[in-house]
Amino acid sequence: MNAAFRTAATIAGVALAYYATAQVGLVLALVEGQVTPLWLPTGISVAALLMSGRRIWPGITIGAFAANITLGAPIFSAVMITAGNTAAPLVAWYLLTRFGFRPALDRLKDALLLVFAGALGAMLVSALVGATALKLGGVIPWREVPAVVSVWWTGDAMGVLVFTPLLLTLPRHWQVSPRRLAEALVLLAGTAALASFVTTSGSRLLFLVFPMLIWAALRFQHAIAAPCAAITSVAAVMSAADGHFVARDLLTTMIVLQAFNGSVALTGLILSAITSERNEARKAIERACVQLAETVARYQEEGVRKRLGRVVPPG
């Protein structure tokens, strides 16, 4: 009974989180209700499946259907889009688990799997199904299908790249010194302030945020790099939604925005994974050195005992 209750509670929580973050995603749309460059629910869905298993998929379906119905889509289109929104995270979960993905993201292999299998590969499913549903429902003409697919795909992929690492690597028991904690808080606050500034100053100063991401990845890995990447991406999308990110046409804004968000997510994700892998290799070498030193000391001690045992005491 307890296991069933926990599963039901998890499904309800996923559904609520999906619906709530879908509303946030629509607030961040570049064109109201149409162009959403950062679809948060996909990141939450993939993270939930990786943490709780495929049994919680009904939560994704319920949340997706509720979100699509509130948008006023025809019932046929809403059902079909919901099927795509459910299938894409499940495909991501299957591919990641099939190829040995570790949610800790402490290997370069895990980062690359999340990028190419979990984000770029699996999210193409929801984009294709969603665009087809809108066409069959009479919402868009055929000439708009490629544009809708590209926007849908990049928005879902960015949701996975930005928010799945954040949820998977959220510290549960993070015991650090007050000095390290202060450094982490300064890093987060500094990233938020700098991101707010550079994303409203045109595209000329966007590069200034990358030293903060590199600092976070090298010093704290995903625990701080993932929040910094999320803060930066959300700031960029909010700026674009207000018309301050790039003072050009919508297509140019989308290209620059998604290129920037992708670079931010990949910088934090891959550099954190490489640093974690390097740290683990160093710890393994240190453990091997300690074991070797203990083994040498033990053999030396045994050799001394043997030599003393062969000494014949004077009669």
Side-chain angles (χ1 to χ4, degrees):
M1 181 63 69
N2 289 335
F5 176 78
R6 284 196 298 270
T7 300
T10 303
I11 290 173
V14 170
L16 181 61
Y18 193 107
Y19 179 79
T21 53
Q23 303 309 308
V24 174
L26 294 175
V27 170
L28 299 176
L30 301 191
V31 177
E32 186 175 358
Q34 296 183 36
V35 183
T36 305
L38 186 61
W39 190 241
L40 285 65
T42 55
I44 293 175
S45 300
V46 174
L49 287 169
L50 290 171
M51 290 188 290
S52 301
R54 62 182 177 184
R55 66 182 182 276
I56 57 93
W57 69 265
I60 302 173
T61 301
I62 295 169
F65 184 72
N68 287 306
I69 284 296
T70 57
L71 292 177
I75 187 67
F76 170 78
S77 297
V79 170
M80 193 170 176
I81 292 171
T82 298
N85 289 345
T86 305
L90 284 171
V91 170
W93 170 83
Y94 172 77
L95 292 175
L96 292 174
T97 54
R98 172 69 177 79
F99 292 106
F101 175 81
R102 292 203 311 222
L105 286 166
D106 54 358
R107 302 174 300 175
L108 179 59
K109 171 186 174 181
D110 302 320
L112 295 178
L113 278 173
L114 186 65
V115 172
F116 292 104
L120 299 179
M123 294 307 117
L124 191 58
V125 174
S126 59
L128 291 172
V129 173
T132 302
L134 293 179
K135 172 62 188 71
L136 296 179
V139 179
I140 59 172
W142 275 114
R143 66 177 180 276
E144 294 184 8
V145 169
V148 171
V149 170
S150 62
V151 170
W152 202 308
W153 180 40
T154 56
D156 282 3
M158 286 301 106
V160 174
L161 291 179
V162 172
F163 284 94
T164 298
L166 176 63
L167 296 173
L168 290 179
T169 60
L170 200 64
R172 270 61 171 185
H173 305 286
W174 202 35
Q175 296 180 350
V176 295
S177 65
R179 183 175 179 179
R180 288 267 291 174
L181 180 60
E183 180 185 355
L185 294 176
V186 168
L187 185 53
L188 289 170
T191 299
L194 186 60
S196 299
F197 171 70
V198 301
T199 55
T200 55
S201 303
S203 60
R204 295 183 298 275
L205 300 177
L206 292 178
F207 65 90
L208 292 177
V209 77
F210 287 95
M212 305 294 284
L213 294 168
I214 295 170
W215 176 12
L218 293 178
R219 290 286 290 160
F220 299 97
Q221 290 78 65
H222 297 291
I224 300 299
C228 286
I231 290 170
T232 304
S233 295
V234 170
V237 174
M238 291 178 63
S239 175
D242 292 337
H244 301 307
F245 187 74
V246 178
R248 296 178 185 175
D249 59 279
L250 179 61
L251 178 60
T252 302
T253 300
M254 277 293 297
I255 292 174
V256 176
L257 177 63
Q258 298 299 58
F260 175 70
N261 283 342
S263 300
V264 165
L266 291 176
T267 298
L269 183 64
I270 293 179
L271 189 55
S272 293
I274 292 174
T275 304
S276 297
E277 203 168 38
R278 183 203 63 188
N279 291 344
E280 188 57 37
R282 186 195 65 201
K283 291 177 182 178
I285 293 173
E286 290 175 351
R287 288 194 297 268
C289 290
V290 170
Q291 293 174 355
L292 180 60
E294 291 175 349
T295 302
V296 170
R298 187 167 59 251
Y299 277 114
Q300 287 177 340
E301 186 178 351
E302 290 177 358
V304 171
R305 288 201 194 99
K306 289 179 180 179
R307 286 195 297 270
L308 291 177
R310 286 197 297 267
V311 175
V312 180

